[in-house]
């Protein structure tokens, strides 16, 4: 071997050693790349399955998710003020209201003075009461009133209204003889009813010129203004019935005069 060939042997030996080493390294790299862990892949979350409503069933409304529902700030909420408490209704007590066509008339309930008209009093109990109303110059009026258990009971009394309904059996004395009949009086006047037609008569109260009773003689005298006079008596033992009849007629005449 020549000197020129001597130094090349180490180079060939080096190449023979390097080539297998490179192959081993490349294989290691390839194996390492192949064995590297795969990148984690997270699939998107699957949507929750929506249940299909049964045929003919009413779909149930789905409430909005709390994450998407609008949030109302505390300051934006309207102030809710409590409403007024319901008023307590007091039980209705019995009340009597009395009025009259004569103002200031005196009112008595069960003979106890309670005031003057117009009057409203709660000092009464439910049930039946006797109410008397009177005024100077007028006849008193007495009424039986049923006061309701609750609320108002109204009573109007007319002291000016002429109410007259009186009658008395009498005997009309003629110049010769007599006849029996009924002497009646109402707001329209005085009337004598008898089977003896010529003696019957009717006179307006305003046309009475004389109308008086002689108790001792048991006689009632009736005289028409500018006209005839009639004298009546009674079968009763006294003239009480004639006096009562006269007083009823005179009271009515006085009330008529006051209303004019």
């Amino acid at each position: 071997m020549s000197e020129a060939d001597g130094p090349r042997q180490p180079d060939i030996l080096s190449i023979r050693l390097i080539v297998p080493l490179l192959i081993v390294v490349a294989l290691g790299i390839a194996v390492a790349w192949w064995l590297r862990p795969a990148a984690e892949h997270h699939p998107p979350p699957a949507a929750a399955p929506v249940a299909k409503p049964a045929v003919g069933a009413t779909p149930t409304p789905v409430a909005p998710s709390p994450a998407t529902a609008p949030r109302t700030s505390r300051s934006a909420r309207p102030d809710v003020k409590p409403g007024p408490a319901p008023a307590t209704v007091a039980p209705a007590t019995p009340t009597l209201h009395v009025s009259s066509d004569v103002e200031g008339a005196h009112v008595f309930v069960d003979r106890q003075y309670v005031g003057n008209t117009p009057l409203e009093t709660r000092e009464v109990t439910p049930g039946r009461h006797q109410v008397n109303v009177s005024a100077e110059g007028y006849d008193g009026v007495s009424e039986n009133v049923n006061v309701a258990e609750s609320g108002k009971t109204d009573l109007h009394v007319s002291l000016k209204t002429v109410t007259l309904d009186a009658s008395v059996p009498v005997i009309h004395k003629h110049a010769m003889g007599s006849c029996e009949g009924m002497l009646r009086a109402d707001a329209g006047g005085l009337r004598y009813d008898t089977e003896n037609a010529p003696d019957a008569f009717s006179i307006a109260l305003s046309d009475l010129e004389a109308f008086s009773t002689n108790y001792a003689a048991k006689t009632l005298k009736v005289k028409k203004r500018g006209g005839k006079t009639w004298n009546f008596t009674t079968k009763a033992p006294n003239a009480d019935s004639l006096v009562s009849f006269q007083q009823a007629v005179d009271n009515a005449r006085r009330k008529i005069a006051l209303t004019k």
Side-chain angles (χ1 to χ4, degrees):
M1 183 177 291
S2 64
E3 294 179 1
D5 293 334
R8 292 180 180 176
Q9 291 178 358
D11 294 334
I12 295 172
L13 182 60
S14 298
I15 293 172
R16 289 178 179 178
L17 293 175
I18 292 173
V19 170
L21 182 60
L22 292 176
I23 293 173
V24 172
V25 172
L27 290 175
I29 293 174
V31 172
W33 180 85
W34 183 71
L35 294 177
R36 77 185 189 280
E40 294 184 0
H41 178 67
H42 299 281
V50 179
K52 295 183 178 179
V55 177
T58 303
T60 303
V62 180
S65 172
T68 59
R71 302 180 62 184
T72 304
S73 63
R74 186 180 301 272
S75 60
R77 295 176 183 174
D79 294 335
V80 179
K81 296 182 179 180
T88 303
V89 180
T93 56
T95 304
L96 176 63
H97 179 263
V98 183
S99 59
S100 66
D101 56 359
V102 177
E103 187 174 356
H106 308 298
V107 181
F108 295 81
V109 177
D110 298 331
R111 299 183 180 182
Q112 297 294 323
Y113 174 74
V114 293
N116 293 19
T117 60
L119 170 74
E120 185 169 301
T121 177
R122 292 183 173 85
E123 297 180 2
V124 291
T125 57
R128 190 178 181 87
H129 296 273
Q130 182 179 6
V131 179
N132 292 82
V133 182
S134 61
E136 186 176 357
Y138 298 90
D139 289 338
V141 176
S142 179
E143 296 282 353
N144 289 320
V145 180
N146 285 317
V147 177
E149 292 185 0
S150 62
K152 182 186 294 186
T153 300
D154 290 311
L155 172 64
H156 179 75
V157 175
S158 177
L159 299 175
K160 294 180 179 180
T161 301
V162 177
T163 56
L164 176 61
D165 185 11
S167 61
V168 59
V170 292
I171 300 173
H172 177 213
K173 296 188 293 183
H174 302 161
M176 296 183 61
S178 62
C179 65
E180 296 184 15
M182 185 71 70
L183 196 59
R184 307 178 189 275
D186 56 28
L190 193 67
R191 185 175 74 253
Y192 176 54
D193 295 329
T194 178
E195 293 181 355
N196 186 14
D199 279 351
F201 66 85
S202 180
I203 304 174
L205 296 181
S206 58
D207 287 339
L208 287 174
E209 182 177 331
F211 188 71
S212 59
T213 300
N214 186 327
Y215 191 86
K218 207 170 63 173
T219 302
L220 173 64
K221 179 181 180 180
V222 178
K223 185 179 188 307
K224 183 178 181 179
R225 192 180 308 277
K228 188 176 178 179
T229 300
W230 295 267
N231 291 300
F232 296 94
T233 187
T234 178
K235 289 182 178 182
N238 53 53
D240 289 349
S241 60
L242 298 178
V243 172
S244 296
F245 181 81
Q246 179 205 340
Q247 289 177 344
V249 174
D250 284 343
N251 288 338
R253 294 172 66 193
R254 185 176 65 253
K255 292 172 72 174
I256 291 173
L258 288 173
T259 58
K260 291 182 178 181

